[in-house]
Amino acid sequence: MDQRIEGVECKLMGIEDQVETLNLTVFRQQQRIERLERQLAELAQLVRSREPETPRRLEDDIPPHY
């Protein structure tokens, strides 16, 4: 009986280590996701700020050889 309890305790310790590792992995991934979302928002803002206020017309795009 004691061996069985000891075996279960060892398995439980292993599972606890795995859960802790997974929690750390998820935490780091969430931090990275949040950082990437901030960067994406900054890039989107940069693109919007560089867009012309009035839409371009195809007629305005004259090739340089004309």
Side-chain angles (χ1 to χ4, degrees):
M1 184 73 160
D2 287 341
Q3 285 182 333
R4 288 180 59 192
I5 292 174
E6 211 172 288
V8 170
E9 287 175 342
C10 287
K11 287 181 182 181
L12 180 59
M13 285 177 18
I15 290 171
E16 286 175 343
D17 287 342
Q18 289 176 346
V19 167
E20 186 175 327
T21 301
L22 286 172
N23 280 338
L24 184 58
T25 300
V26 169
F27 174 75
R28 287 180 180 157
Q29 286 178 340
Q30 183 61 38
Q31 285 181 319
R32 186 168 186 204
I33 288 169
E34 289 171 359
R35 186 176 64 245
L36 290 170
E37 286 176 335
R38 282 192 303 271
Q39 289 175 346
L40 181 61
E42 289 171 9
L43 285 172
Q45 180 61 34
L46 181 63
V47 168
R48 280 192 296 273
S49 70
R50 292 184 180 216
E51 288 178 346
E53 292 181 18
T54 57
R56 292 177 55 181
R57 297 178 340 166
L58 290 177
E59 297 83 23
D60 295 337
D61 293 336
I62 300 172
H65 61 278
Y66 282 100

